[in-house]
Amino acid sequence: MSLLDYIVIALFTVMILVVGVAFSRTGGNMKSYFAAGGSLPWWLSGLSLFMSFFSAGTFVIWGSIAYQYGWVSITIQWMMALSGFIIGYFIAPKWRETNSLTAGEFLGKRFSPSLKKFYSYIFLVLSFVTTGAFLYPVAKIFNVSTGFSIELSILILGLLIIIYTAAGGLWAVVITDVLQFVILFAAVIIVVPLALEKIGGPGALIHHAPEGFFSMTNGAYSFGFLMAFTFYNTFFIGGNWAYVQRYTSVRTPRDARKVGLLFGSLYLVSPVLWMLPPMIFRLVDGNLTGNENEGAFLLMCKAVLPKGLLGLMLGGMIFATASSVNTTLNMSAAVFTNDIYKKLKKGLKQATIMKIARLSTVVFGIITIGVALAVPRLGGIVEVVLTVGAVTGAPLFGPPIWALFSNWQTSFSMMTTTLVSLGINLFLKFMAPGLLGFSLNRAEEMLTGVFIPIAILAGFEMYYRFNGTSNHSLQKNDEMTGGEAAETTKNETSAQNTFAIRVLAIALLLTGSLISLLGVIASDGKLIVLCVGITVLLTGGLLLTRKYVKRESKASDL
């Protein structure tokens, strides 16, 4: 990389830090710190959900598949869009109707404190694995582009994420997520036409691509895998506590529905943009093997981007990864503070609770760094992400989703379903190959992981309905609708929303100015870079207008 690329990355890093820390004054109580006042605009929450689920791992994991197999990498991600639509129509509004700060809080008031603790402890342990798996891919990208060691990259980026997440809470997470969305989209929109130009246009890609490169399915990624992946993502995105936070932090169930639908819509468009560069690179250099495939996207960027714009792309990747990590860190701190620590230590002052919230964010961030450092010894990033997801996704997130729609489940049925499902999945994954001489492929892993908890829950449902046993106790949560909510008034919420939009607008104006400047000095792709930069500038200017801010303020009072 050139000196200009490093300068661009440094500027984005400083901007993200400043934006995150700017929200330190908005986190005066738990509802503000962990739920953005409970009145987050749906479009901000939807963009944040998209970026929280998205990471640089998209370019590493699915980019590797795109380089090897082609269009099937896009088909796989379209299944996430289908899941998003299902969640938007059915699941997200139900979460908002619970009036809970966390999914664990819903389980506690619906069932029992012991069940809440059970799921909270499991979530915290798994969150360390998932955040570590999300943090690792950016180290791979750094390694390919700069030659820096993976270990050093993990340490630097991990500490950066900890600082602004601990300082600003959910508002810092959401606004930096949206800013990262704009940066990444801008960078990819610039890369795609330059990459196509390098090989002679779209016709060259179609004509010279390997046989089967545009097939909807390929190899291990069969139709069965796609269906299993859809079921799995419906549970994972609809029930993962970090993502549930995006549904519960908006104003109404209708807004929660819009969050899911926006997520699904973005995943209809974005995979095509994300996956074209590694697909095109297959024609530029078809000799990558093994783990080298994971760097195909960035190698394409290095081949076509002029000085400065590679730093723009790399910065977008870095902070896309930060979106996944900071979301889970914030939710993990919420679970520990609200669902565990506050119940163990009664009568704590608000200032003490907020100190614990920020301290737990820091501690969990340090643990995340440790896990990320261990990823290379766990079989590679693809194996870690897919294995953890297949084994734990539906057993952990399925029962709470089922409970949103059914009054017949009990603490016993919920806990039993999770433990039995996890036990069976772990046996099939790690013990069956040695003891029984067979193993499941990825599609079978996901189908089994989803089917087992559904079958157990259905069995309990029929049993309880037949015997007339139900759990109809769904009480209002004083912590969310009474105590905590009272601390964040409508005026405070309106002020926070207005401040957040203004911060975002200023950041977009700065980003657009930088991209435009890079377009002026670019040796290649000058026109498209300038167009993207001006578009970002206009977006920032629109958000900064008083007319929009007034509309947002009035909406907050409805």
Side-chain angles (χ1 to χ4, degrees):
M1 292 201 309
S2 67
L3 176 61
L4 184 57
D5 290 311
Y6 286 108
I7 292 174
V8 170
I9 293 174
L11 289 174
F12 277 129
T13 300
V14 171
M15 183 168 61
I16 291 293
L17 269 178
V18 171
V19 168
V21 174
F23 290 95
S24 58
R25 69 183 180 90
T26 64
N29 59 70
M30 286 213 302
K31 188 182 179 187
S32 176
Y33 190 75
F34 292 127
S39 192
L40 190 65
W42 67 267
W43 58 275
L44 285 178
S45 188
L47 291 175
S48 179
L49 175 64
F50 176 78
M51 289 306 296
S52 298
F53 188 70
F54 177 89
S55 78
T58 298
F59 299 119
V60 175
I61 300 170
W62 308 124
S64 173
I65 296 172
Y67 178 85
Q68 295 180 70
Y69 303 117
W71 192 268
V72 68
S73 62
I74 297 173
T75 309
I76 293 171
Q77 292 175 79
W78 277 345
M79 299 304 100
M80 301 176 193
L82 179 58
S83 294
F85 292 136
I86 294 172
I87 292 163
Y89 277 111
F90 302 108
I91 299 175
K94 286 289 186 179
W95 277 119
R96 183 59 187 88
E97 290 172 3
T98 66
N99 287 324
S100 300
L101 188 63
T102 67
E105 190 173 286
F106 160 69
L107 294 173
K109 69 183 181 183
R110 171 69 189 273
F111 296 101
S112 66
S114 60
L115 186 67
K116 178 175 72 172
K117 289 181 181 178
F118 168 77
Y119 278 102
S120 296
Y121 288 132
I122 294 179
F123 171 80
L124 287 177
V125 172
L126 290 179
S127 69
F128 300 144
V129 178
T130 55
T131 51
F134 284 140
L135 183 56
Y136 170 79
V138 77
K140 182 70 178 182
I141 294 170
F142 244 72
N143 177 256
V144 171
S145 60
T146 68
F148 291 174
S149 70
I150 291 177
E151 292 78 11
L152 180 60
S153 299
I154 289 173
L155 289 173
I156 294 174
L157 294 169
L159 291 175
L160 174 67
I161 293 167
I162 289 171
I163 290 172
Y164 74 78
T165 304
L170 184 60
W171 267 124
V173 171
V174 169
I175 297 302
T176 54
D177 282 354
V178 176
L179 180 58
Q180 292 150 18
F181 169 84
V182 173
I183 294 171
L184 197 60
F185 251 91
V188 174
I189 288 172
I190 293 170
V191 168
V192 171
L194 294 178
L196 287 171
E197 182 182 354
K198 184 175 180 64
I199 63 170
L205 175 61
I206 296 173
H207 185 263
H208 297 292
E211 184 179 354
F213 209 56
F214 290 95
S215 298
M216 299 291 286
T217 60
N218 196 319
Y221 306 104
S222 61
F223 180 78
F225 173 87
L226 296 176
M227 292 300 98
F229 197 62
T230 302
F231 284 121
Y232 161 73
N233 276 296
T234 301
F235 281 104
F236 187 77
I237 305 169
N240 187 310
W241 293 14
Y243 305 146
V244 168
Q245 188 185 35
R246 298 302 182 273
Y247 316 135
T248 60
S249 297
V250 295
R251 298 185 188 97
T252 65
R254 184 179 180 183
D255 281 353
R257 174 175 287 113
K258 293 177 181 178
V259 171
L261 296 181
L262 177 57
F263 175 92
S265 299
L266 288 171
Y267 257 108
L268 280 178
V269 178
S270 61
V272 180
L273 292 174
W274 306 148
M275 297 298 102
L276 275 176
M279 290 173 64
I280 295 169
F281 193 73
R282 178 68 181 269
L283 275 65
V284 176
D285 182 357
N287 298 317
L288 299 184
T289 58
N291 291 336
E292 292 178 344
N293 295 340
E294 296 178 352
F297 183 94
L298 195 61
L299 290 171
M300 186 72 259
C301 295
K302 292 178 70 174
V304 299
L305 288 177
K307 292 180 180 180
L309 290 175
L310 180 59
L312 176 72
M313 172 58 73
L314 189 56
M317 290 183 177
I318 292 169
F319 295 113
T321 298
S323 299
S324 304
V325 178
N326 62 28
T327 292
T328 307
L329 278 184
N330 183 258
M331 176 47 58
S332 298
V335 170
F336 176 79
T337 305
N338 185 66
D339 299 336
I340 297 177
Y341 190 86
K342 204 171 78 167
K343 304 305 179 185
L344 296 175
K345 303 287 185 179
K346 302 289 186 180
L348 290 174
K349 294 182 179 180
Q350 191 63 229
T352 302
I353 293 175
M354 294 313 301
K355 287 180 180 178
I356 295 299
R358 288 187 166 92
L359 179 61
S360 60
T361 302
V362 173
V363 172
F364 294 156
I366 293 172
I367 295 174
T368 293
I369 291 173
V371 173
L373 291 171
V375 166
R377 293 182 287 274
L378 298 177
I381 186 64
V382 173
E383 189 65 25
V384 170
V385 171
L386 293 180
T387 296
V388 171
V391 170
T392 66
L396 182 59
F397 305 131
I401 292 176
W402 190 291
L404 292 172
F405 299 91
S406 171
N407 288 322
W408 296 92
Q409 299 296 325
T410 65
S411 293
F412 175 79
S413 67
M414 299 278 286
M415 192 178 300
T416 300
T417 298
T418 295
L419 289 175
V420 172
S421 300
L422 283 175
I424 293 175
N425 286 347
L426 288 171
F427 174 82
L428 292 175
K429 177 65 181 178
F430 298 107
M431 299 181 68
L435 295 177
L436 304 179
F438 77 90
S439 60
L440 304 178
N441 59 36
R442 286 172 181 167
E444 292 168 342
E445 275 186 1
M446 289 190 175
L447 280 174
T448 303
V450 170
F451 173 76
I452 291 173
I454 289 178
I456 296 174
L457 287 167
F460 276 119
E461 185 86 6
M462 290 186 290
Y463 174 80
Y464 288 137
R465 284 178 179 270
F466 180 78
N467 288 280
T469 304
S470 65
N471 183 353
H472 294 281
S473 59
L474 185 58
Q475 303 172 357
K476 284 189 175 182
N477 178 20
D478 292 337
E479 292 174 319
M480 183 67 174
T481 60
E484 289 288 345
E487 297 175 19
T488 307
T489 65
K490 288 184 178 180
N491 289 335
E492 289 174 335
T493 298
S494 176
Q496 288 179 12
N497 287 1
T498 301
F499 175 73
I501 292 171
R502 284 176 176 164
V503 170
L504 176 61
I506 293 171
L508 290 179
L509 288 173
L510 294 173
T511 300
S513 299
L514 180 56
I515 295 174
S516 298
L517 178 60
L518 292 174
V520 171
I521 64 177
S523 56
D524 297 308
K526 186 184 296 287
L527 178 61
I528 187 171
V529 177
L530 283 172
C531 289
V532 170
I534 292 171
T535 301
V536 175
L537 275 171
L538 291 175
T539 303
L542 176 64
L543 288 177
L544 200 58
T545 59
R546 290 186 177 182
K547 185 177 180 180
Y548 178 85
V549 171
K550 286 181 179 179
R551 285 205 306 268
E552 180 60 39
S553 298
K554 289 180 180 179
S556 298
D557 294 330
L558 293 179

